[in-house]
Amino acid sequence: MERVHVDLGARSYPIIIGPGLLDKAGEILPEFRVRKAFVVTDTRVDKLHGSKLRNALSHASVEASFAVIPPGERQKSLKRLGILAAQMLAQGFDRSSTVIAFGGGVIGDLAGFLAAVFMRGVNYVQVPTTLLACVDSSIGGKTAVNLPQSKNCIGAFHQPILVIEDVELLRTLSKRDLRAGAVELIKHGFILDPDLYNQLSSDFKRLLELEPGFTSQALRRSCEIKARVVSADERESGYRAILNFGHTVGHALESTAGYGVYRHGEAVAVGMLAEAMLAERIGFAQEPVWQPLNTLFSKMRLPTHIPQKISTQKLLNTMYTDKKNRDGNLTIVLPRKIGCVEPVTLRSVSDLNQVLLQMQRQEDKTTAL
Ligand SMILES: NC(=O)c1ccc[n+]([C@@H]2O[C@H](COP(=O)([O-])OP(=O)(O)OC[C@H]3O[C@@H](n4cnc5c(N)ncnc54)[C@H](O)[C@@H]3O)[C@@H](O)[C@H]2O)c1
Ligand SMILES: [Zn+2]
């Protein structure tokens, strides 16, 4: 079993990682004074793994109620939030109750926000079931729902009291979802931990095959990086922005292609490549950063180019209208070398434009995207 401590003073919490952990949740949960729990999950996760959590909760004598909702990003809505809060109220949940988020990032963000606002805030536990949720969305306390016109527009910072990561639950994910989720893990190594990055570069197959010891260790190291960044900048006032490496171009690609075409991690992979190429082009990078990433992502059969049918002008427009940009300048996180990235404000758009065009010219024989 691996353990990571997220150091946030009074709001600190552990992340516990290992195969078969859900079977032991009965022993872990009472330590955190979970007595009455409102579990939010989706139909898919419930069907695949719900019985394990139900058994664990009954073993721990936790009085539990399950809210099982359809899967999908559309559930991150104010409407669903209202329905869940009304259910909690009707079922007698109060400020001493605990919310359990059992699913991917959608469930984590929605249930986390429910916990942030129900009776002005109750405890919650994250039990992530996707690779992305394990290394990213379940850690750091960012919770939110969407408005039709803006993703994650209504939200709060609210830290969980515990994160339980059972790597066995990841076995039911598709290979494509595993590959996409692995990108955030590789990103964590790339921005702060060259050893982790190098290990994943040579041994990524062991992760994609979910070899238990290797996977638990890789998750632990990735979570440590996210935890370290969150501890240093809980409310994203500066430093936490380094986690956005690959996301400026990645988000633009995701939204320009139309949500659902790319998995988030796939778009981030293309974004990391574009941003690494830009760092080399403007002389910011002190060592080759694009080639090693390109070799790794190609071997992993992730997309490595921008399709011809996507207009680079549209991508640029999306990046420049992003809410995070001030004064019309674009700030983008670029690598100096593997293990070191920094935000850079671009004075002109031309280098980025050239990079996007070059990424479009890249022949990609490995993926249909
Ligand atoms: N809060 C944060 O810091 C943060 C960070 C990154 C992403 N996010 C959010 O996370 C969301 C994306 O999360 P996601 O990629 O986990 O997607 P998701 O939650 O939509 O899950 C993807 C699909 O996988 C299914 N699934 C979940 N676990 C499974 C399992 N073990 N086996 C088989 N199928 C399983 C789900 O039913 C769903 O259909 C987005 O809403 C994004 O905004 C939040
Ligand atoms: Zn991401």
Side-chain angles (χ1 to χ4, degrees), residues 255-298:
S255 76
T256 307
Y259 281 100
V261 172
Y262 284 92
R263 297 285 198 273
H264 174 69
E266 292 169 340
V268 172
V270 177
M272 286 168 70
L273 287 169
E275 294 170 22
M277 192 185 275
L278 179 64
E280 288 185 10
R281 185 183 167 95
I282 65 172
F284 186 79
Q286 293 164 346
E287 63 179 33
V289 283
W290 174 80
Q291 184 63 55
L293 272 179
N294 191 53
T295 306
L296 173 59
F297 289 160
S298 304

Side-chain angles (χ1 to χ4, degrees), residues 136 184 247 264 268:
D136 197 356
E184 299 280 359
H247 283 65
H264 174 69
V268 172

Side-chain angles (χ1 to χ4, degrees), residues 33 51 70 104 127 146 154 156 158 173 180-181 213 267 284 286 301 319 340 362:
R33 281 182 235 108
S51 58
V127 186
N146 305 326
I154 313 251
H158 187 53
L173 290 168
F284 186 79
Q286 293 164 346
R301 295 175 45 237
M319 286 181 237
C340 176
Q362 303 279 331

